[in-house]
Amino acid sequence: MNILSVIINENDDLNESSLEIFSFIDQLGSTNKISSLVFGGEKSAISKLCSDEIFYASVENSEALNPNNVLKTMDKFLSDKKFDLIVFQKDDISNFVAPALSFRKDFAYLPDVKKFVSKNESEIKFVRPVHGESAEAIYSVDISSTIIIKIRKSSFEIKQLSKQNSIVNEIILEEQDENTFKILETEKVKSEGIQLDEAEIVISGGRGIGSKEGFDNLKELAELLNGALGASRAAVESEWIETSHLVGLTGKWISPNLYFTFGISGASQHLAGCINSKNIVAVNKDPDASIFNHSKFGVIADCNDFIKEVIEEIKNIQ
Amino acid sequence: MKICVCIKEVPDSDIPSNKLQIDNQSKKILPVENISNIVNGFDLNAVELALRFSENFEESSVSIISVGNNLTSDVIKKPLAMGADELITCEDPSIEKMDIKGIAKVLSKMILKTGPYDIIFCGRHASDFDNASVPFGISEFLSIPLVNIVKNIKKINKKIIIERIITDGFQKVESKMPLVVTTGNQVGDPRYPTLKGIMEASKKQIKKILLEELELEQNDIKPKVKIEEIYFPENENNVEIIEGNSNKEKAINLITKLKAEGVI
Ligand SMILES: Cc1cc2nc3c(=O)[nH]c(=O)nc-3n(C[C@H](O)[C@H](O)[C@H](O)COP(=O)(O)OP(=O)(O)OC[C@H]3O[C@@H](n4cnc5c(N)ncnc54)[C@H](O)[C@@H]3O)c2cc1C
């Protein structure tokens, strides 16, 4: 197959998580031709991507990229090139561009792909979660036209970059169409300390925490363990913590070494974003909470009492 | 201001997986017990934002559009009870077999037939199949802008000014009309229907459009993507519950284990 991976570097560095795309492509066999289309980021990092061919749209700064100009650029890029499969990672721009492009070009589209199953002359089968990740489905996709997929984030081991350098063909980032929205202002809420998607340890709170003050304890524990703060939708909606800390289907997708939850029930939509953590530890007062079905260690306790004991104990041993 | 909101009837997303069953005949997930369907949560956020926005104008109307098969009128009438003006549906068994392109085509044609609308609101994502894509189809097929994950929308002079959520913050963006807007829970809780609203909604006739009236082409509705099988993934449950006579003891035991495993 002729495969295109699409990498969006919203910051100047190479978007590490986009390297999951190559691990996914590995599942499809070793005889494929792989091209990469890269938006933004440092050119030096890009030449090492595991691709036979690289196309690169350099940008002045990360703010120059938006869904509308990436969509326009891809539309133009694809006007004289044909791929069997176009693979996106999950990020703000891809979440917009991947489906929009599929409608514009009349390509098939499948988001959150987790696994390749099989392929024959007429169709290719993939697995993706459905119903807020409470179930999975096998989908068959017609291969007579190009297929766009977006992979399920944090589902693949990040592949080492290949050593041989590929040729990098520069392309131009197109101006967005008139008929699109224009960004007037961007405000990023950067949390202090370690970032949620980079942390090895994440301390996460849900409705069971019960108050904004309760999150102070979580914050203290996160600082002690050099971790980041996560939250469920119930906690975010109660405004105990900003949306940027949301973990789950509609929030961040993370796979830290330790995901330590307090007062989170374990709804499938929340688990979606953290299920690939190496170790999940849950504190919940309800022994039947479904979070326990996915945890390595569980503690049945009042989470606000328990966290104080944990903080004290960590201080004792440090 | 003429507004339309697209809504979808879905199984209640709060039902835990052990209360769900799979019907592999229809390739659907159904509740084990007789638990009523709901309007997709993010679509109710869209209804809420549409109603709030419409209140800024002396003359405005909010139409609700829904497509499916065997829709439950008590469920899909909820936006009427919240204050929307009319409900337009298109029901047909063949809709169940359509993929996102087919559904987006049907909705676009309904919008053209019953509009024109200045703004089309949609939920960002439906909780049954999590495709998060149909609104992009409406925007592409109607060749109008789309702004996704909108928290706030204002009309200032002739321009639409929107607060849009991004993963690490938000953006202020500007768009012309008509446009498609998608919403998430950041809009805030949808209003509760009032008793009066419920009474009035129950009396309102649903405007029904037949699929044939939309004159779709074969290529529009032939699915490229099909579900072969749905199943619950196996989950081997081997949680170790940390015991102890007090929370202090449990904390000590937990930390000891985590240290021994090299996790902290
Ligand atoms: C389409 C869609 C997308 C969604 N996306 C997301 C998402 O990205 N992220 C997300 O998190 N959710 C998401 N949700 C919402 C999700 O379904 C749940 O509603 C949410 O995760 C619940 O949060 P929670 O676990 O904090 O609250 P609850 O489910 O209310 O659970 C609270 C838990 O705290 C326990 N508890 C209460 N008091 C105490 C105490 N004192 N001590 C110990 N334990 C206590 C309770 O036993 C309970 O288990 C989504 C839903 C839909 C439909």
Side-chain angles (χ1 to χ4, degrees), chain A residues 33-316:
Chain A
K33 179 180 177 210
I34 305 170
S35 309
S36 290
L37 173 57
V38 185
F39 290 89
E42 290 283 340
K43 194 173 176 181
S44 54
I46 286 159
S47 66
K48 298 195 197 76
L49 291 174
C50 333
S51 307
D52 300 307
E53 184 180 34
I54 295 171
F55 300 92
Y56 171 56
S58 70
V59 296
E60 254 167 55
N61 57 49
S62 52
E63 303 239 316
L65 284 179
N66 71 55
N68 299 312
N69 58 20
V70 172
L71 178 59
K72 181 71 187 287
T73 307
M74 285 204 70
D75 187 7
K76 180 134 189 248
F77 175 78
L78 292 168
S79 61
D80 61 356
K81 290 177 197 64
K82 190 175 175 316
F83 297 94
D84 302 301
L85 190 67
I86 302 178
V87 189
F88 285 85
Q89 172 61 295
K90 196 182 183 81
D91 52 61
D92 281 346
I93 290 182
S94 300
N95 290 348
F96 189 113
V97 172
L101 188 67
S102 80
F103 290 109
R104 187 167 299 182
K105 297 295 223 184
D106 201 8
F107 293 164
Y109 176 57
L110 201 63
D112 311 319
V113 169
K114 198 171 163 176
K115 216 169 89 190
F116 161 71
V117 181
S118 63
K119 176 175 176 287
N120 62 25
E121 321 72 57
S122 60
E123 59 182 32
I124 180 163
K125 288 185 182 169
F126 295 110
V127 171
R128 68 179 289 261
V130 293
H131 271 256
E133 302 233 341
S134 62
E136 280 181 3
I138 300 175
Y139 280 76
S140 63
V141 190
D142 181 355
I143 55 173
S144 59
S145 70
T146 303
I147 300 169
I148 299 183
I149 64 173
K150 200 169 70 186
I151 57 169
R152 186 184 177 284
K153 199 170 177 180
S154 295
S155 304
F156 307 92
E157 287 286 333
I158 287 182
K159 195 178 151 154
Q160 287 302 309
L161 296 178
S162 75
K163 289 186 194 62
Q164 95 218 39
N165 284 11
S166 315
I167 308 156
V168 177
N169 308 294
E170 299 232 11
I171 64 162
I172 290 164
L173 182 72
E174 300 289 323
E175 294 272 326
Q176 66 185 82
D177 276 329
E178 262 307 294
N179 196 25
T180 53
F181 70 81
K182 274 160 213 67
I183 297 168
L184 305 176
E185 229 176 273
T186 300
E187 197 162 316
K188 295 215 171 171
V189 271
K190 272 271 172 207
S191 39
E192 329 144 22
I194 208 153
Q195 298 304 305
L196 186 49
D197 30 20
E198 289 159 11
E200 276 304 308
I201 295 182
V202 173
I203 311 296
S204 199
R207 197 192 308 278
I209 293 295
S211 67
K212 202 171 178 133
E213 293 69 49
F215 265 85
D216 293 342
N217 292 328
L218 296 182
K219 206 165 174 184
E220 186 178 355
L221 182 57
E223 275 164 17
L224 279 172
L225 294 173
N226 199 19
L229 265 186
S232 74
R233 173 147 130 195
V236 167
E237 281 189 337
S238 308
E239 296 185 353
W240 301 332
I241 184 163
E242 293 95 39
T243 303
S244 55
H245 292 271
L246 178 67
V247 172
L249 203 59
T250 46
K252 296 227 161 98
W253 295 63
I254 55 173
S255 49
N257 189 22
L258 172 63
Y259 189 67
F260 200 168
T261 75
F262 293 85
I264 289 181
S265 63
S268 60
Q269 296 92 346
H270 181 80
L271 287 168
C274 60
I275 195 83
N276 288 331
S277 306
K278 268 108 239 123
N279 301 280
I280 298 179
V281 177
V283 184
N284 197 303
K285 66 177 183 188
D286 174 9
D288 295 325
S290 55
I291 185 88
F292 289 132
N293 298 335
H294 305 272
S295 304
K296 179 163 187 156
F297 298 118
V299 180
I300 299 161
D302 178 282
C303 57
N304 292 308
D305 277 352
F306 186 74
I307 193 166
K308 290 188 193 125
E309 301 296 348
V310 172
I311 290 170
E312 196 169 310
E313 184 54 21
I314 300 268
K315 280 182 179 162
N316 281 341

